[in-house]
Amino acid sequence: KGKYFVTFPYPYMNGRLHLGHTFSLSKCEFAVGYQRLKGKNCLFPFGLHCTGMPIKACADKLKREMELYGCPPEFPDEEEEEEENSARKDEEVIIKDKAKGKKSKAAAKTGSSKYQWGIMKSLGLSDEEVVNFSEAEHWLDYFPPLAVQDLKSMGLKGVGPQEYTLIKMKVLDPYPAKLSGLRGKNIFLVAATLRPETMFGQTNCWVRPDMKYIGFETVNGDIFICTQRAARNMSYQGFTKDNGVVPVVKELMGEEILGAALSAPLTSYRVVYALPMLTIKEDKGTGVVTSVPSDSPDDIAALRDLKKKQALRGKYSIRDEMVLPYEPVPIIEIPGYGNLCAPFICDELKIQSQNDREKLAEAKERVYLKAFYEGVMLVDGFKGQKVQDVKKRIQKMMVDNDEAMIYMEPEKQVLSRSADECVVALCDQWYLDYGEVDWKKQASECLKQLETFCEETRRNFEATLGWLQEHACSRTYGLGTRLPWDEQWLIESLSDSTIYMAYYTVAHLLQGGNLRGQGESPLGISITVKTKLADSYVKAMV
């Protein structure tokens, strides 16, 4: 018989299950039922997720609300609250989250109430019942049985950090007027790229004329120019003197740094310029985009627009010598696309301008993966080597030469339950070493034997194994299991969920059907033995 395994992101126990769970579960249930009818041995383990921060945070919030407003709380109306908030404002420069006030998944869960008490009442709980939820343990007794009930009646996604290479492009004399007051400081426009191997082909950088930027002081006294959102991420990654504090020294619009002369690392051009691009997004990267028209369809389309349209250059006071002498530089040979893949694909698809968004998306889809897997470097020092083999080496070389830094931000926008935009923070903690050589080798061997749905799926697995390195696995706040060898730390919820998938295949043999794990094991295995087995498994991963 064949085997078939299905897993599901276990529901978090801070509320009742909803239609979204039913929708996703139905897919798993259909797939495993179909495979079982075909005669396969099928396994569909299931569990409930109770660790992590949200439950503890909500319980603490209830405690604070009772301390401030009584029990049951009598909350101020909106006008009183606005006056109170206004009175608390001071002169400290604070970067505001652009996500505030926007409707989100988290906001949809909380309904119209901004207080935790109101959220709990919206679940049909009385004031007397809500009081009990100020203790985190109560959540674990209340919601899991209801979830089991819901699952029986039903018939029984995560975001990680994205690593960028932060390219430092130094502003040269003469400074733009808006930056003249910072003379004497090292000023850098910083661009986040996923393709450090293409920096040999830089011809300029892009900024959006109507976008707000800031200059902030880094821990070593340099000035970085980027968006407020990116600066906030950097402040939690050791870029600034105080964690989470962005010392803003200048606020400016993109149009005020257009035409700035820059020194960019690795490129053959001694000086490049900051030029206008109208399609830069504020919710990704730094708002500054390095331009490699030899290998980026977006870049060649925008550069051609500026070269062809004198009126566009004039509108932003861009002189001819800032644009016209700059041509794409061959840096990577790609089978079928030559050594200037971006111009080639743009000509083939008849892309006329940077506004041809659908065609540009198709162009990128066609060349980027092929460049990574089949591209061969043409530049000195790396000539003849595959892009995928030298990408990390080129990144390290630039970081070691102080031409770049490692920068991270969430793969996509993540909002907390209070509608705050989340950041990637660099913390002193324990990590799972997924980059360990022997582990990676074993994982690669397993992948070779794995049957995937299509070849693209296999390539995605291979790419993930390639970049996956250390993964933070601990935190000090929330619910969960203590690290056996360092009990000040809790195993964070995503990390222990990698163990759940294995544990729930045998949980019924260990817990005796008790959700809290306190039942007698049908196999007679004691809690001491279970703990030692779990400890050994976790230690092997760290």
Side-chain angles (χ1 to χ4, degrees):
K1 283 187 175 183
K3 298 177 181 179
Y4 193 79
F5 175 73
V6 174
T7 189
F8 182 87
Y10 302 135
Y12 196 72
M13 290 295 95
N14 61 343
R16 296 293 298 266
L17 302 192
H18 52 71
L19 189 61
H21 293 105
T22 308
F23 175 73
S24 299
L25 276 167
S26 65
K27 295 183 177 182
C28 295
E29 184 70 17
F30 178 87
V32 78
Y34 172 72
Q35 296 295 335
R36 187 177 289 118
L37 288 172
K38 291 181 69 175
K40 292 184 181 179
N41 286 324
C42 297
L43 184 62
F44 182 13
F46 207 89
L48 305 173
H49 195 176
C50 300
T51 60
M53 296 173 60
I55 289 176
K56 185 68 166 64
C58 290
D60 289 350
K61 194 173 180 184
L62 284 172
K63 288 179 182 177
R64 289 196 298 272
E65 290 175 1
M66 287 190 286
E67 290 171 0
L68 291 172
Y69 304 114
C71 182
E74 294 183 9
F75 298 112
D77 60 31
E78 290 186 6
E79 290 184 5
E80 290 176 350
E81 190 175 30
E82 285 179 8
E83 292 175 4
E84 183 181 342
N85 290 337
S86 179
R88 282 201 291 252
K89 286 183 179 177
D90 54 31
E91 295 181 357
E92 182 183 358
V93 177
I94 297 175
I95 296 178
K96 294 183 179 179
D97 295 337
K98 299 297 182 184
K100 293 252 184 205
K102 293 181 181 177
K103 193 69 172 174
S104 66
K105 184 176 180 181
K109 285 183 177 180
T110 63
S112 59
S113 177
K114 64 177 69 177
Y115 296 104
Q116 188 63 38
W117 195 278
I119 295 169
M120 304 306 291
K121 289 289 292 287
S122 72
L123 298 176
L125 300 168
S126 67
D127 286 330
E128 292 75 18
E129 290 175 308
V130 173
V131 174
N132 297 323
F133 287 88
S134 62
E135 298 297 331
E137 288 283 317
H138 183 67
W139 296 67
L140 309 187
D141 292 323
Y142 184 85
F143 284 115
L146 294 176
V148 172
Q149 178 183 319
D150 289 340
L151 288 166
K152 288 180 178 178
S153 67
M154 289 176 187
L156 277 192
K157 183 157 166 171
V159 176
Q162 174 66 66
E163 181 184 285
Y164 291 91
T165 306
L166 193 71
I167 307 300
K168 297 168 62 176
M169 292 175 281
K170 188 174 183 180
V171 179
L172 305 174
D173 279 326
Y175 284 9
K178 191 72 173 183
L179 300 177
S180 59
L182 299 174
R183 194 171 300 279
K185 295 271 191 182
N186 289 323
I187 305 174
F188 296 91
L189 269 63
V190 287
T193 181
L194 296 171
R195 307 178 71 199
E197 72 280 1
T198 66
M199 294 303 98
F200 295 95
Q202 293 177 92
T203 60
N204 61 282
C205 87
W206 304 111
V207 295
R208 202 175 92 191
D210 61 346
M211 185 183 288
K212 291 181 180 179
Y213 294 82
I214 64 166
F216 73 93
E217 188 169 8
T218 64
V219 68
N220 66 355
D222 292 341
I223 306 299
F224 281 8
I225 294 176
C226 60
T227 60
Q228 290 184 337
R229 188 197 62 82
R232 181 169 176 260
N233 265 279
M234 293 179 202
S235 73
Y236 286 94
Q237 297 172 34
F239 283 67
T240 57
K241 183 178 179 182
D242 297 314
N243 190 54
V245 178
V246 180
V248 179
V249 297
K250 186 68 67 175
E251 296 180 352
L252 62 164
M253 298 298 293
E255 61 186 357
E256 294 175 307
I257 48 177
L258 287 176
L262 308 167
S263 173
L266 300 188
T267 181
S268 57
Y269 290 106
R270 188 178 64 83
V271 178
V272 299
Y273 294 91
L275 302 178
M277 178 181 269
L278 310 179
T279 56
I280 297 174
K281 296 180 179 179
E282 193 170 359
D283 61 355
K284 201 171 188 67
T286 64
V288 179
V289 180
T290 186
S291 174
V292 185
S294 59
D295 289 77
S296 167
D298 282 332
D299 293 341
I300 188 62
L303 186 63
R304 284 174 171 177
D305 276 354
L306 274 175
K307 287 194 170 197
K308 289 186 297 185
K309 301 174 182 177
Q310 195 280 330
L312 182 60
R313 301 197 297 275
K315 179 180 179 179
Y316 295 109
S317 301
I318 299 299
R319 301 191 306 274
D320 288 357
E321 62 267 26
M322 297 176 178
V323 180
L324 300 184
Y326 293 85
E327 295 294 336
V329 180
I331 56 172
I332 298 173
E333 180 78 31
I334 303 174
Y337 293 91
N339 58 19
L340 293 172
C341 69
F344 178 90
I345 193 67
C346 284
D347 291 341
E348 186 176 86
L349 296 178
K350 296 181 170 55
I351 293 172
Q352 299 300 314
S353 79
Q354 60 188 301
N355 296 318
D356 291 345
R357 305 315 305 165
E358 290 186 7
K359 288 184 177 180
L360 283 168
E362 180 186 347
K364 288 184 286 187
E365 185 177 349
R366 286 171 60 174
V367 300
Y368 279 1
L369 272 180
K370 196 172 182 68
F372 178 76
Y373 288 108
E374 300 181 36
V376 176
M377 300 296 296
L378 300 176
V379 298
D380 290 342
F382 302 95
K383 192 170 185 177
Q385 299 181 62
K386 283 196 166 186
V387 167
Q388 60 181 322
D389 295 333
V390 300
K391 178 186 278 282
K392 294 299 291 185
R393 284 166 47 201
I394 293 172
Q395 180 195 58
K396 184 178 185 301
M397 178 184 73
M398 296 176 71
V399 171
D400 290 346
N401 293 337
D402 198 26
E403 298 170 328
M405 301 178 75
I406 303 300
Y407 165 65
M408 295 190 180
E409 61 181 48
E411 292 170 321
K412 60 181 179 180
Q413 189 183 60
V414 181
L415 299 182
S416 71
R417 292 181 180 274
S418 58
D420 291 307
E421 185 174 356
C422 297
V423 301
V424 173
L426 182 64
C427 302
D428 180 20
Q429 59 168 275
W430 291 92
Y431 289 82
L432 294 174
D433 188 7
Y434 288 120
E436 200 275 324
V437 176
D438 289 339
W439 179 88
K440 236 175 208 194
K441 184 178 179 181
Q442 291 180 51
S444 297
E445 289 300 318
C446 288
L447 179 58
K448 289 178 182 177
Q449 301 172 42
L450 190 69
E451 181 181 353
T452 58
F453 181 77
C454 63
E455 191 58 30
E456 183 180 359
T457 303
R458 179 176 299 279
R459 286 201 300 267
N460 286 335
F461 272 124
E462 290 171 346
T464 301
L465 281 175
W467 66 256
L468 195 59
Q469 300 295 325
E470 296 85 4
H471 173 76
C473 66
S474 60
R475 55 169 54 129
T476 57
Y477 181 83
L479 302 175
T481 305
R482 297 282 174 185
L483 277 174
W485 59 89
D486 192 353
E487 292 198 356
Q488 65 173 314
W489 296 99
L490 291 163
I491 302 174
E492 64 92 22
S493 53
L494 282 180
S495 298
D496 63 16
S497 69
T498 64
I499 302 171
Y500 288 164
M501 303 303 179
Y503 178 72
Y504 278 114
T505 62
V506 295
H508 61 294
L509 300 175
L510 301 175
Q511 296 186 188
N514 185 290
L515 289 175
R516 302 279 299 218
Q518 297 170 341
E520 184 177 342
S521 166
L523 301 181
I525 300 175
S526 69
I527 186 67
T528 304
V529 175
K530 285 188 280 186
T531 302
K532 286 182 178 179
L533 288 171
D535 290 356
S536 299
Y537 181 86
V538 174
K539 284 181 178 178
M541 289 291 292
V542 176

